[in-house]
């Protein structure tokens, strides 16, 4: 792969939407990419639409945990390897499914995930900041928003 010249032309993106993604496995994968000549990698997470075929509401806690795991991967990897993270928001669970988790119901999840990434984690202060930004009095991450 390194002899092909491909690592100088592209940057791989590692996709995983799981709340319990394997941090050590991802770090090992990044090391493999580096040995093949890739100097940068991207991560892909999801702030909505990746948890069930008929999901209509977004469970923020699942997506928050995914982003916190990606932060662990980033902090366990060489500082110069991460090019960025793509926060995906799937409108369909797969190509044959009906629409799920429309954007309006997922905006709180997007805000929580962005703030967690921006602040390097999630805390009561981050929660309060999201509540203030969205004009909400009680952000719920472990149950569906009421």
């Amino acid at each position: 792969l390194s002899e092909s010249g491909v690592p100088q032309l592209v940057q791989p993106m590692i996709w995983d939407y799981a709340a319990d993604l394997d941090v050590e496995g991802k770090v090992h994968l990044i090391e493999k990419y580096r040995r093949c000549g890739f100097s940068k990698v991207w991560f892909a997470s999801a702030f909505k639409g990746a948890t069930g075929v008929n999901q209509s509401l977004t469970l923020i806690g699942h997506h928050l945990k995914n982003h916190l795991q990606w932060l662990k991967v980033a902090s366990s990897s060489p500082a110069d390897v991460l090019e960025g993270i793509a926060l995906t928001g799937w409108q369909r669970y797969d190509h044959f499914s009906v629409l799920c988790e429309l954007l309006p119901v997922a905006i709180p999840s997007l805000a929580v995930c962005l703030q967690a990434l921006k602040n390097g984690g999630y805390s009561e202060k981050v929660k309060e900041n999201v509540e203030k930004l969205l004009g909400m009095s009680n952000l719920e991450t472990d149950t569906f928003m009421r």
Side-chain angles (χ1 to χ4, degrees):
L1 193 61
S2 58
E3 292 174 11
S4 72
V6 169
Q8 286 69 49
L9 301 173
V10 299
Q11 296 174 338
M13 183 173 283
I14 304 170
W15 301 72
D16 198 325
Y17 309 139
D20 60 349
L21 71 84
D22 178 10
V23 172
E24 187 176 312
K26 296 294 184 266
V27 171
H28 184 67
L29 182 58
I30 291 167
E31 290 169 0
K32 283 183 173 182
Y33 280 133
R34 297 274 285 206
R35 285 194 304 271
C36 290
F38 293 97
S39 60
K40 300 283 187 183
V41 299
W42 288 79
F43 299 159
S45 64
F47 72 90
K48 75 174 194 81
T51 56
V53 67
N54 61 352
Q55 193 80 18
S56 58
L57 299 174
T58 304
L59 187 56
I60 297 170
H62 172 89
H63 300 289
L64 173 59
K65 289 173 186 170
N66 175 252
H67 287 87
L68 296 176
Q69 291 296 93
W70 277 120
L71 285 171
K72 288 180 184 177
V73 174
S75 67
S76 300
S77 301
D80 63 339
V81 72
L82 179 60
E83 185 69 13
I85 182 166
L87 281 77
T88 65
W90 296 101
Q91 202 61 53
R92 285 185 164 83
Y93 188 74
D94 62 44
H95 296 291
F96 305 107
S97 299
V98 298
L99 295 176
C100 66
E101 294 183 61
L102 299 179
L103 182 60
V105 299
I107 288 175
S109 180
L110 176 59
V112 166
C113 294
L114 286 170
Q115 287 296 311
L117 292 175
K118 178 182 176 187
N119 290 283
Y122 189 72
S123 65
E124 189 62 31
K125 183 178 180 194
V126 172
K127 178 182 184 261
E128 290 170 5
N129 189 35
V130 171
E131 289 172 341
K132 182 179 175 186
L133 288 168
L134 297 179
M136 301 174 72
S137 60
N138 186 25
L139 177 69
E140 299 176 29
T141 59
D142 295 324
T143 60
F144 290 108
M145 295 292 298
R146 294 185 200 134

